[in-house]
């Protein structure tokens, strides 16, 4: 019985072992089936996941390739443009076209201003009039054309005149003439005088292939508040690059219809520039001169920038006392012919032996003041002029000013340029400045008075490339003179040497 039991147990163990192995394989089979089924279900649920991944990769690669190709194309185009620009000659007078807004009723008077600066055969441009005028041959004037009719445009400003519509279209009408090799259009009034060499110098700084709207603001803070500090005043003149003029011409007629209530032509131009998104690039050498009276204070302390234009010449006093407006300007242009780049440029120096402060506005005036006045003060214009709004005082200017004199003894002794010539042997310009005779207040100071100086002889070498360097005032100084010429003062003006300053 014991043996039988033992064999039974052995047989049971073998059976259990077989059963375990069988169930183990069954369990593995079930696990494999479950795992395989899950994978199939996942593939069924997301049948395109792998294809999407591949698609995304290929799309990303394609976009990256396209972006790279576009970037390379842009870079190549920019390099080509840059190469073309470098190969282009510098801007010259022949690349600039002037559009002059004029009135037939004032033509006989105003044309004399244009004759001063117009260079037949060199300057290019057109005078745009409202009506036909009598013309004489060989007057040395630009071509004259009649502006298009603007009667179909609305104008609702009760204080202005409709001619503003006509004048606002001068640049566009000049563009439509189809003149070749134009880089810039410069607009001005018939009572605006340009120093054309300085127009070239200023515009040469800018890329004419880009959109540029260049000019300056009014001298009157009130004017700028009424109109805009972002506006180039048309009387002082402004410049528009050729590609910008093309864009302006396309949209201007529709643009000015949207602004019937504006006053003038220049604010209409600025309104269109605002729609085009082009801001004003300011150049302080364009002068509107919304002032009355004597320009001595402004011209005697001209900012360190080329003198580009003068406006409102019928309103202000003649720039040289005792002369007509036109003849005074003719004298100024004598200096411009010798060194236009330095015209009106201020220099400041001191005669320490005689305790004098001296301000030179080259080609125009020399002022001698008793006592020490700092350069910081001397570079501020003196208030020899009145604001455009006669009720406004000196706080209504858009720049700093100072009184003509703080003390009776410090009233300036003024010497206006009388003549200038070029000495080829010494390569220098000799200018003779005569004292302007006017009463001086009584002074108790014991220092020597400039009243004994009748003439100033000013020596200067031409510097046509001064604006290709960083802007800086010239220096000046008093030269020694012999005792036999006490009524003459000899001076020099020129580039400041290393370490040289306008020291009190």
């Amino acid at each position: 019985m014991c043996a039988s039991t033992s064999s039974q147990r052995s047989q049971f163990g073998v059976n259990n072992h077989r059963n375990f192995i069988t169930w183990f394989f069954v369990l593995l089979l079930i696990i494999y089936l479950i795992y395989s089924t899950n994978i199939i279900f996942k593939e069924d649920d997301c049948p395109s996941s792998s294809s999407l991944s591949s698609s995304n990769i290929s799309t990303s690669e394609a976009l990256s390739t396209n972006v790279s190709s576009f970037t390379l194309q842009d870079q190549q185009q920019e390099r080509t443009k840059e190469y073309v620009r470098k190969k282009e000659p510098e801007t010259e007078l022949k690349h600039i076209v002037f559009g002059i807004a004029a009135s037939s009723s004032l033509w006989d008077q105003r044309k004399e201003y244009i004759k001063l600066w117009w260079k037949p055969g060199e300057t290019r441009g057109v005078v745009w009039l409202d009506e036909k005028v009598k013309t004489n041959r060989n007057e040395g004037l630009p071509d004259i054309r009649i502006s298009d009719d603007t009667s179909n445009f609305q104008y609702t400003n009760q204080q202005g005149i409709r001619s503003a519509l006509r004048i606002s279209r001068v640049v566009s009408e000049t563009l439509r003439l189809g003149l070749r090799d134009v880089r810039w259009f410069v607009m001005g009034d018939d009572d605006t005088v340009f120093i054309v060499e300085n127009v070239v110098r200023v515009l040469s700084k800018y890329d004419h292939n880009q959109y540029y709207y260049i000019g300056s603001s009014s001298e009157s803070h009130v004017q700028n508040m009424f109109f805009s500090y972002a506006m180039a005043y048309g009387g002082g003149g402004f410049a528009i690059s050729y590609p910008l003029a093309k864009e302006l011409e396309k949209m201007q007629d529709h643009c000015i219809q949207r602004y019937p209530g504006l006053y003038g032509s220049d604010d209409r131009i600025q309104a269109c520039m605002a729609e085009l998104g082009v801001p004003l690039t300011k150049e302080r050498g364009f002068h509107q001169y919304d002032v009355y009276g004597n320009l001595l204070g402004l011209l005697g302390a001209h900012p360190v920038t080329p003198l580009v234009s003068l406006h409102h010449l019928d309103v202000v006093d003649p720039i040289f006392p005792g002369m007509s407006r036109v003849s005074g300007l003719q004298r100024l242009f004598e200096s411009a012919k010798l060194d236009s780049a330095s015209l009106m440029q201020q220099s400041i120096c001191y005669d320490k032996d005689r305790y004098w402060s001296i301000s030179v506005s080259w080609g125009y005036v020399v002022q001698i003041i008793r006592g020490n006045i700092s350069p910081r003060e001397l570079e501020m214009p003196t208030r020899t002029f009145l604001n455009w709004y006669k009720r406004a005082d000196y706080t209504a200017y858009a720049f700093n000013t100072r009184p003509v004199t703080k003390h009776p003894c410090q009233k300036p002794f003024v010497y206006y340029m009388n003549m200038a010539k070029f000495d080829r042997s010494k390569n220098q310009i000799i200018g003779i400045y005569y004292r302007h005779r006017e009463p001086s207040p009584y002074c108790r100071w014991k220092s020597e008075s400039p009243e004994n100086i009748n003439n100033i002889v000013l020596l200067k070498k031409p510097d046509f490339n001064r604006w290709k360097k960083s802007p800086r005032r010239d220096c000046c100084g008093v030269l020694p003179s012999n005792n036999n010429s006490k009524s003459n003062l000899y001076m020099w003006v020129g580039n400041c040497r290393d370490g040289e300053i306008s020291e009190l």
Side-chain angles (χ1 to χ4, degrees), residues 257-277:
Q257 289 279 41
R258 291 189 281 274
Y259 302 97
L262 294 179
Y263 175 84
S265 60
D266 36 18
D267 48 357
R268 281 176 168 77
I269 292 285
Q270 194 272 326
C272 296
M273 289 298 168
E275 291 192 2
L276 288 166

Side-chain angles (χ1 to χ4, degrees), residues 426-446:
K426 296 182 179 179
N427 188 34
Q428 67 180 6
I429 302 168
I430 303 171
I432 310 296
Y433 295 72
Y434 285 178
R435 182 183 161 196
H436 177 54
R437 300 287 176 176
E438 59 182 353
S440 297
Y442 175 72
C443 177
R444 295 183 179 180
W445 288 1
K446 295 181 180 180

Side-chain angles (χ1 to χ4, degrees), residues 19-49:
N19 290 337
F20 174 78
I21 292 172
T22 301
W23 285 110
F24 177 76
F25 280 107
V26 169
L27 181 62
L28 286 176
L29 180 61
I30 292 170
I31 292 172
Y32 175 78
L33 290 173
I34 292 172
Y35 179 76
S36 301
T37 304
N38 286 338
I39 291 175
I40 292 170
F41 284 157
K42 284 181 180 179
E43 288 180 349
D44 290 338
D45 290 340
C46 303
S48 59
S49 60

Side-chain angles (χ1 to χ4, degrees), residues 11-274:
Q11 185 66 34
F12 179 77
V14 171
N15 291 335
N16 282 341
H17 182 68
R18 289 175 179 170
N19 290 337
F20 174 78
I21 292 172
T22 301
W23 285 110
F24 177 76
F25 280 107
V26 169
L27 181 62
L28 286 176
L29 180 61
I30 292 170
I31 292 172
Y32 175 78
L33 290 173
I34 292 172
Y35 179 76
S36 301
T37 304
N38 286 338
I39 291 175
I40 292 170
F41 284 157
K42 284 181 180 179
E43 288 180 349
D44 290 338
D45 290 340
C46 303
S48 59
S49 60
S50 60
S51 62
L52 280 175
S53 177
S54 302
S55 175
N56 286 337
I57 292 171
S58 61
T59 303
S60 176
E61 289 176 350
L63 287 172
S64 177
T65 304
N66 288 337
V67 169
S68 299
S69 64
F70 284 139
T71 303
L72 288 171
Q73 287 177 7
D74 291 342
Q75 289 176 350
Q76 196 169 15
Q77 287 176 0
E78 281 302 316
R79 285 173 187 160
T80 303
K81 288 179 181 177
E82 188 64 28
Y83 176 74
V84 170
R85 286 182 202 129
K86 286 180 180 178
K87 292 210 64 170
E88 281 184 329
E90 288 191 9
T91 295
E92 300 177 29
L93 186 55
K94 66 181 181 180
H95 297 126
I96 300 169
V97 172
F98 292 87
I100 304 165
S103 168
S104 58
S105 60
L106 297 170
W107 176 243
D108 287 339
Q109 175 185 340
R110 297 277 180 86
K111 69 180 182 182
E112 300 302 322
Y113 295 131
I114 301 174
K115 289 179 184 178
L116 292 169
W117 61 271
W118 190 259
K119 298 183 176 183
E122 296 182 55
T123 39
R124 302 169 68 192
V126 177
V127 173
W128 294 94
L129 284 163
D130 50 343
E131 295 178 3
K132 290 184 178 180
V133 294
K134 291 182 179 180
T135 57
N136 300 318
R137 292 183 178 180
N138 303 321
E139 276 196 291
L141 288 168
D143 291 338
I144 295 175
R145 292 180 180 264
I146 307 302
S147 301
D148 288 343
D149 181 31
T150 56
S151 59
N152 61 324
F153 291 93
Q154 280 190 313
Y155 186 84
T156 60
N157 191 295
Q158 296 181 353
Q159 296 178 330
I161 53 177
R162 286 190 61 87
S163 62
L165 293 168
R166 176 181 70 85
I167 294 171
S168 69
R169 301 170 79 246
V170 161
V171 171
S172 293
E173 291 192 11
T174 307
L175 174 74
R176 290 179 193 135
L177 296 177
L179 301 175
R180 294 185 177 182
D181 200 18
V182 180
R183 297 184 181 182
W184 298 93
F185 292 97
V186 175
M187 181 178 173
D189 287 351
D190 51 3
D191 62 338
T192 304
V193 167
F194 289 100
I195 312 298
V196 294
E197 296 86 357
N198 287 339
V199 174
V200 175
R201 288 186 176 100
V202 167
L203 298 183
S204 295
K205 297 190 301 181
Y206 301 97
D207 181 0
H208 61 273
N209 297 295
Q210 305 296 323
Y211 290 0
Y212 276 109
Y213 166 52
I214 301 172
S216 192
S217 303
S218 171
E219 292 72 23
S220 169
H221 177 53
V222 183
Q223 283 278 86
N224 292 323
M225 287 176 62
F226 281 167
F227 297 101
S228 175
Y229 271 101
M231 181 183 89
Y233 279 71
F238 58 81
I240 296 178
S241 60
Y242 184 82
L244 179 56
K246 286 176 65 178
E247 292 302 310
L248 175 66
E249 189 272 336
K250 292 175 188 175
M251 55 83 74
Q252 187 177 21
D253 284 355
H254 294 294
C255 173
I256 60 179
Q257 289 279 41
R258 291 189 281 274
Y259 302 97
L262 294 179
Y263 175 84
S265 60
D266 36 18
D267 48 357
R268 281 176 168 77
I269 292 285
Q270 194 272 326
C272 296
M273 289 298 168

